[in-house]
Amino acid sequence: MRDPRWEQVREQTEPDQSTYWGRVQRFLKLTDMRNLLVGPRQLDIHRDIVSKFSMGQLDPAVSVQQIVDARKACDAILHKDTGEPVLLPFRMCAQAPVNTLLTVGLLVARTPREVILSQLFNQTFMVGLNFANRNASVQLTNSQLAGSFAVALTSAITAAVGLNTIVARSRMSPSTKDLALRMVPFVAVSLANLCNVTAMGFAEIQQGIDVYDTRS
């Protein structure tokens, strides 16, 4: 039996994905940093509310706003396939603060050692992010994870060190050279992320993923 509060909750938690603004609203909901403050005990309460609400067994005394808050927290914290909490640094709500730190590290790196370390931290995070938010219907082996990490890290370091060397030896003006050096991390990370996502998702391409009809 559907809960009588269903339509009110749906309107506030399920923006129309066929529109641009609806997709923006969903993105803002998932990246809301306030969800970083949700502790294990509060998460259990949210999960209980969402579970009982979906079965039509929730206490009528629970307000629509409480249900909305619970659904938003669960959407931002729990893995869609496993139902388990995603490790804190890899949650969508942690992307802004974590990526700010990583981006600063990439931008200030100048020497080969600094470049390698900054790319190592960044690609370690990216592999963890892609794995933590993967489609769990396809199992990844340790060798596949290691291969993805190696491909991403090698491509990032090669691009970053290589481009830094080329720019440093160029005959550009000092101001142009400084600007070009600051752009190198973006090029290197873009290339590495392309390799990373391709390698991590190759098993999904080969085997396919489970797809469900939400109307059934």
Side-chain angles (χ1 to χ4, degrees):
M1 180 179 177
R2 176 170 290 186
D3 192 289
R5 294 160 290 188
W6 174 259
E7 286 300 326
Q8 289 178 277
V9 173
R10 186 185 65 80
E11 289 176 2
Q12 297 185 55
T13 58
E14 299 180 18
D16 185 2
Q17 297 299 284
S18 66
T19 66
Y20 175 75
W21 179 240
R23 293 190 291 273
V24 170
Q25 287 179 301
R26 174 169 172 75
F27 177 78
L28 292 175
K29 180 184 72 171
L30 294 177
T31 57
D32 188 344
M33 288 189 291
R34 289 175 297 181
N35 288 313
L36 291 172
L37 303 177
V38 177
R41 182 176 299 178
Q42 186 62 42
L43 179 59
D44 287 339
I45 294 173
H46 286 325
R47 293 173 79 170
D48 185 59
I49 290 175
V50 171
S51 176
K52 290 180 178 178
F53 176 71
S54 64
M55 294 185 293
Q57 300 174 358
L58 186 62
D59 187 338
V62 178
S63 69
V64 169
Q65 189 57 52
Q66 286 177 295
I67 302 171
V68 168
D69 291 342
R71 289 196 70 183
K72 286 182 177 180
C74 289
D75 285 346
I77 297 173
L78 303 180
H79 192 285
K80 290 296 183 182
D81 295 331
T82 65
E84 295 301 317
V86 174
L87 194 62
L88 185 61
F90 306 128
R91 296 173 187 172
M92 291 298 104
C93 53
Q95 293 308 291
V98 173
N99 276 294
T100 297
L101 294 175
L102 292 172
T103 301
V104 170
L106 291 167
L107 289 174
V108 300
R110 281 292 180 268
T111 67
R113 181 182 179 181
E114 291 172 349
V115 169
I116 291 173
L117 284 176
S118 65
Q119 293 294 342
L120 174 62
F121 287 132
N122 186 62
Q123 289 311 313
T124 299
F125 171 75
M126 289 307 301
V127 168
L129 175 68
N130 290 335
F131 177 74
N133 295 280
R134 71 197 185 285
N135 187 299
S137 64
V138 177
Q139 296 299 316
L140 290 175
T141 64
N142 291 335
S143 60
Q144 287 174 315
L145 285 173
S148 299
F149 178 71
V151 168
L153 184 60
T154 300
S155 59
I157 291 176
T158 300
V161 174
L163 290 173
N164 272 336
T165 302
I166 292 172
V167 172
R169 294 178 179 177
S170 68
R171 297 180 179 180
M172 301 177 185
S173 65
S175 59
T176 303
K177 184 177 293 187
D178 185 64
L179 178 61
L181 286 172
R182 293 188 183 281
M183 295 302 295
V184 166
F186 295 104
V187 177
V189 169
S190 297
L191 175 62
N193 287 351
L194 174 63
C195 296
N196 192 335
V197 171
T198 302
M200 290 285 288
F202 191 68
E204 295 178 11
I205 297 173
Q206 279 187 315
Q207 303 173 32
I209 62 174
D210 292 341
V211 179
Y212 302 95
D213 186 349
T214 57
R215 296 169 298 181
S216 61

